[in-house]
Coordinates of all heavy atoms in Angstrom, one line a residue:
Y1129 N -100.2 -60.2 -102.7 CA -99.7 -60.7 -101.4 C -100.8 -61.3 -100.6 O -100.7 -62.3 -100.0 CB -99.0 -59.6 -100.6 CG -98.4 -60.1 -99.3 CD1 -97.2 -60.8 -99.3 CD2 -99.1 -59.8 -98.1 CE1 -96.7 -61.3 -98.1 CE2 -98.5 -60.3 -96.9 CZ -97.4 -61.0 -97.0 OH -96.8 -61.5 -95.8
R1130 N -102.0 -60.6 -100.7 CA -103.2 -61.2 -99.9 C -103.6 -62.5 -100.5 O -103.9 -63.4 -99.8 CB -104.3 -60.2 -100.0 CG -105.6 -60.6 -99.2 CD -106.7 -59.6 -99.5 NE -107.9 -60.0 -98.7 CZ -108.2 -59.4 -97.6 NH1 -107.5 -58.5 -97.0 NH2 -109.3 -59.8 -96.9
E1131 N -103.6 -62.6 -101.8 CA -103.9 -63.9 -102.5 C -102.9 -65.0 -102.1 O -103.3 -66.1 -101.8 CB -103.9 -63.7 -104.0 CG -104.4 -65.0 -104.7 CD -104.4 -64.7 -106.3 OE1 -104.3 -63.5 -106.7 OE2 -104.5 -65.7 -107.0
Y1132 N -101.6 -64.6 -102.1 CA -100.6 -65.6 -101.7 C -100.7 -66.0 -100.2 O -100.6 -67.1 -99.8 CB -99.2 -65.0 -101.9 CG -98.1 -65.8 -101.3 CD1 -97.7 -67.0 -101.8 CD2 -97.4 -65.2 -100.2 CE1 -96.6 -67.7 -101.2 CE2 -96.3 -65.9 -99.6 CZ -96.0 -67.2 -100.1 OH -95.0 -67.9 -99.5
Y1133 N -101.0 -65.0 -99.4 CA -101.2 -65.2 -98.0 C -102.3 -66.2 -97.7 O -102.1 -67.2 -96.9 CB -101.5 -63.9 -97.2 CG -101.4 -64.0 -95.8 CD1 -100.2 -63.6 -95.1 CD2 -102.4 -64.3 -95.0 CE1 -100.1 -63.7 -93.7 CE2 -102.4 -64.4 -93.6 CZ -101.2 -64.0 -93.0 OH -101.0 -64.1 -91.6
Y1134 N -103.4 -66.1 -98.3 CA -104.5 -67.0 -98.1 C -104.2 -68.4 -98.7 O -104.7 -69.4 -98.1 CB -105.8 -66.5 -98.8 CG -106.6 -65.5 -97.8 CD1 -106.3 -64.2 -97.8 CD2 -107.6 -66.0 -97.0 CE1 -107.0 -63.3 -96.9 CE2 -108.3 -65.2 -96.2 CZ -108.0 -63.8 -96.1 OH -108.7 -63.0 -95.3
W1135 N -103.4 -68.4 -99.8 CA -103.0 -69.7 -100.3 C -102.2 -70.5 -99.3 O -102.3 -71.7 -99.2 CB -102.2 -69.5 -101.6 CG -101.7 -70.8 -102.2 CD1 -102.4 -71.6 -103.1 CD2 -100.5 -71.4 -101.9 NE1 -101.6 -72.7 -103.4 CE2 -100.4 -72.6 -102.7 CE3 -99.4 -71.1 -101.1 CZ2 -99.4 -73.5 -102.7 CZ3 -98.3 -72.0 -101.1 CH2 -98.3 -73.2 -101.8
C1136 N -101.3 -69.8 -98.6 CA -100.5 -70.4 -97.5 C -101.3 -71.1 -96.5 O -101.0 -72.2 -96.0 CB -99.5 -69.4 -96.9 SG -98.2 -68.8 -98.0
F1137 N -102.4 -70.4 -96.1 CA -103.2 -71.0 -95.0 C -104.1 -72.1 -95.6 O -104.5 -73.0 -94.8 CB -104.1 -69.9 -94.4 CG -103.5 -69.2 -93.3 CD1 -102.6 -68.2 -93.5 CD2 -103.9 -69.5 -92.0 CE1 -102.0 -67.5 -92.4 CE2 -103.3 -68.9 -90.9 CZ -102.4 -67.9 -91.1
E1138 N -104.4 -72.1 -96.8 CA -105.2 -73.1 -97.4 C -104.4 -74.4 -97.7 O -104.9 -75.5 -97.9 CB -105.9 -72.6 -98.7 CG -107.0 -71.6 -98.5 CD -107.4 -70.9 -99.8 OE1 -106.9 -71.3 -100.8 OE2 -108.3 -70.0 -99.7
H1139 N -103.1 -74.2 -97.8 CA -102.2 -75.3 -98.1 C -101.0 -75.3 -97.1 O -99.9 -75.1 -97.4 CB -101.6 -75.2 -99.6 CG -102.6 -75.1 -100.6 ND1 -103.2 -73.9 -101.0 CD2 -103.1 -76.1 -101.4 CE1 -104.1 -74.2 -102.0 NE2 -104.1 -75.5 -102.2
P1140 N -101.4 -75.6 -95.8 CA -100.3 -75.6 -94.8 C -99.4 -76.8 -95.0 O -99.8 -77.8 -95.5 CB -101.1 -75.7 -93.5 CG -102.4 -76.4 -93.9 CD -102.7 -75.9 -95.3
R1141 N -98.1 -76.6 -94.7 CA -97.1 -77.7 -94.7 C -97.1 -78.3 -93.3 O -96.9 -77.6 -92.3 CB -95.8 -77.1 -95.1 CG -95.7 -76.6 -96.6 CD -94.4 -75.9 -96.8 NE -93.3 -76.7 -96.6 CZ -92.0 -76.3 -96.4 NH1 -91.8 -75.0 -96.4 NH2 -91.1 -77.1 -96.2
E1142 N -97.1 -79.6 -93.3 CA -97.1 -80.3 -92.0 C -95.7 -80.4 -91.4 O -95.1 -81.4 -91.5 CB -97.7 -81.7 -92.2 CG -99.2 -81.7 -92.6 CD -100.1 -81.3 -91.5 OE1 -99.7 -81.4 -90.3 OE2 -101.2 -80.9 -91.8
I1143 N -95.2 -79.2 -90.9 CA -93.9 -79.2 -90.3 C -94.0 -79.2 -88.8 O -94.8 -78.4 -88.2 CB -93.2 -77.9 -90.8 CG1 -92.9 -78.0 -92.3 CG2 -91.8 -77.8 -90.0 CD1 -92.3 -76.8 -92.8
P1144 N -93.4 -80.1 -88.1 CA -93.5 -80.1 -86.6 C -93.1 -78.8 -86.0 O -92.1 -78.2 -86.5 CB -92.6 -81.3 -86.2 CG -92.4 -82.1 -87.4 CD -92.5 -81.2 -88.6
T1145 N -93.7 -78.4 -84.9 CA -93.3 -77.2 -84.2 C -92.1 -77.6 -83.3 O -91.7 -78.7 -83.2 CB -94.5 -76.8 -83.2 OG1 -94.8 -77.8 -82.3 CG2 -95.7 -76.4 -84.0
H1146 N -91.5 -76.5 -82.7 CA -90.3 -76.7 -82.0 C -90.5 -77.3 -80.6 O -89.5 -77.6 -79.9 CB -89.6 -75.3 -81.8 CG -90.4 -74.4 -80.9 ND1 -91.6 -73.8 -81.3 CD2 -90.1 -73.9 -79.7 CE1 -92.0 -73.0 -80.4 NE2 -91.2 -73.0 -79.4
Y1147 N -91.7 -77.5 -80.2 CA -92.0 -78.2 -78.9 C -92.9 -79.4 -79.1 O -93.8 -79.4 -79.9 CB -92.7 -77.2 -77.9 CG -93.9 -76.5 -78.4 CD1 -95.2 -77.1 -78.3 CD2 -93.8 -75.3 -79.1 CE1 -96.3 -76.5 -78.7 CE2 -94.9 -74.7 -79.6 CZ -96.2 -75.3 -79.4 OH -97.3 -74.6 -79.9
N1148 N -92.5 -80.5 -78.5 CA -93.3 -81.7 -78.4 C -93.5 -82.4 -79.8 O -94.2 -83.3 -79.9 CB -94.7 -81.4 -77.9 CG -94.7 -81.0 -76.4 OD1 -93.7 -81.3 -75.7 ND2 -95.7 -80.2 -76.0
G1149 N -92.9 -81.8 -80.9 CA -93.0 -82.4 -82.2 C -94.4 -82.5 -82.7 O -94.8 -83.3 -83.4
S1150 N -95.3 -81.5 -82.2 CA -96.7 -81.6 -82.6 C -97.0 -80.6 -83.7 O -96.2 -79.8 -84.1 CB -97.5 -81.2 -81.4 OG -97.3 -79.8 -81.0
N1151 N -98.2 -80.8 -84.3 CA -98.6 -79.8 -85.3 C -99.8 -79.1 -84.8 O -100.9 -79.0 -85.4 CB -99.1 -80.6 -86.6 CG -97.9 -81.3 -87.3 OD1 -96.9 -80.6 -87.6 ND2 -98.0 -82.6 -87.4
Y1152 N -99.6 -78.5 -83.6 CA -100.8 -77.9 -82.8 C -101.5 -76.9 -83.6 O -102.7 -77.0 -83.8 CB -100.3 -77.3 -81.5 CG -101.3 -76.6 -80.8 CD1 -102.3 -77.2 -80.1 CD2 -101.4 -75.2 -80.8 CE1 -103.3 -76.6 -79.4 CE2 -102.4 -74.5 -80.1 CZ -103.3 -75.2 -79.4 OH -104.3 -74.5 -78.8
Y1153 N -100.8 -75.8 -84.1 CA -101.6 -74.7 -84.7 C -102.2 -75.1 -86.0 O -103.3 -74.7 -86.3 CB -100.6 -73.6 -85.0 CG -100.3 -72.8 -83.7 CD1 -99.0 -72.7 -83.2 CD2 -101.3 -72.1 -83.0 CE1 -98.7 -72.1 -82.0 CE2 -101.0 -71.5 -81.8 CZ -99.7 -71.4 -81.4 OH -99.5 -70.7 -80.2
I1154 N -101.6 -76.0 -86.8 CA -102.2 -76.4 -88.0 C -103.4 -77.3 -87.7 O -104.5 -77.0 -88.3 CB -101.2 -77.2 -88.9 CG1 -100.0 -76.4 -89.3 CG2 -101.9 -77.9 -90.1 CD1 -98.9 -77.1 -90.0

């Protein structure tokens, strides 16, 4: 799970957030 978790952060999906249509956190 730790390996999968770090993989998610290394390969973020550019999905707009629910406000302003931005990708702020990514």
Side-chain angles (χ1 to χ4, degrees):
Y1129 183 75
R1130 184 185 181 98
E1131 184 179 350
Y1132 168 70
Y1133 192 93
Y1134 274 86
W1135 179 90
C1136 292
F1137 270 79
E1138 292 168 1
H1139 302 83
R1141 293 171 58 200
E1142 297 287 339
I1143 297 178
T1145 59
H1146 65 292
Y1147 52 90
N1148 298 334
S1150 66
N1151 294 306
Y1152 171 75
Y1153 284 116
I1154 295 175

